[in-house]
Amino acid sequence: MENTNVVIRPFDAVTDLKKLSNIWFEASMKAHPFIGEARLTEQRRLIEAEYLPNAETSVACVDGEAVGFISLLGSFIGGIFIAPDRQGFGIGRKLIAEALARKRELSLEVYTENEQAVRFYDMLGFHEVSRRDIDDFGFPFPNATLSLKG
């Protein structure tokens, strides 16, 4: 089912930080249970203090409510997260399409254990470029680097 009334707007730290942090945490708990709640709680502090404020973040809203976001570092997708109850309605596809239209090419890393995300990126036409056996924090969670050209 496609959600046609999605509005994408720039991130506003004053109004969006806590809401997007909550979306990030809830979606991460669903997509990355193998990381564990304690580590995700630690990472959440970095999301709020570093990643969201310093990335080029676009917020997806439905009826004025933030329901997801994509954060870019140049053409690299540092994160794309949709509220779990809003997944499957085309919001992620719209965020990717909007970012691709602006950047002309995108890349990202995805945990290979996150099968739903791997399928999502494959469906959108992303191609695997490389793999590594550990994540950014040195833990044994394999990552794949994917890219897409517009």
Side-chain angles (χ1 to χ4, degrees), residues 87 131 134-135:
Q87 293 177 5
R131 274 187 189 236
I134 59 170
D135 69 9

Side-chain angles (χ1 to χ4, degrees), residues 23-41:
I23 290 170
W24 176 87
F25 189 75
E26 291 169 11
S28 292
M29 287 293 293
K30 178 182 175 188
H32 309 134
F34 50 89
I35 293 176
E37 186 172 352
R39 276 199 52 233
L40 289 173
T41 299

Side-chain angles (χ1 to χ4, degrees), residues 62-76:
V62 174
D63 298 327
E65 177 190 357
V67 296
F69 67 94
I70 186 169
S71 293
L72 301 172
L73 303 166
S75 63
F76 182 81

Side-chain angles (χ1 to χ4, degrees), residues 71-93:
S71 293
L72 301 172
L73 303 166
S75 63
F76 182 81
I77 300 172
I80 178 170
F81 293 90
I82 310 303
D85 66 337
R86 299 298 185 115
Q87 293 177 5
F89 296 103
I91 296 166
R93 283 192 302 275

Side-chain angles (χ1 to χ4, degrees), residues 120-141:
F120 171 73
Y121 296 127
D122 183 59
M123 177 189 70
L124 292 177
F126 279 84
H127 298 285
E128 186 172 322
V129 175
S130 64
R131 274 187 189 236
R132 59 187 172 120
D133 293 331
I134 59 170
D135 69 9
D136 288 340
F137 301 96
F139 289 93
F141 302 123

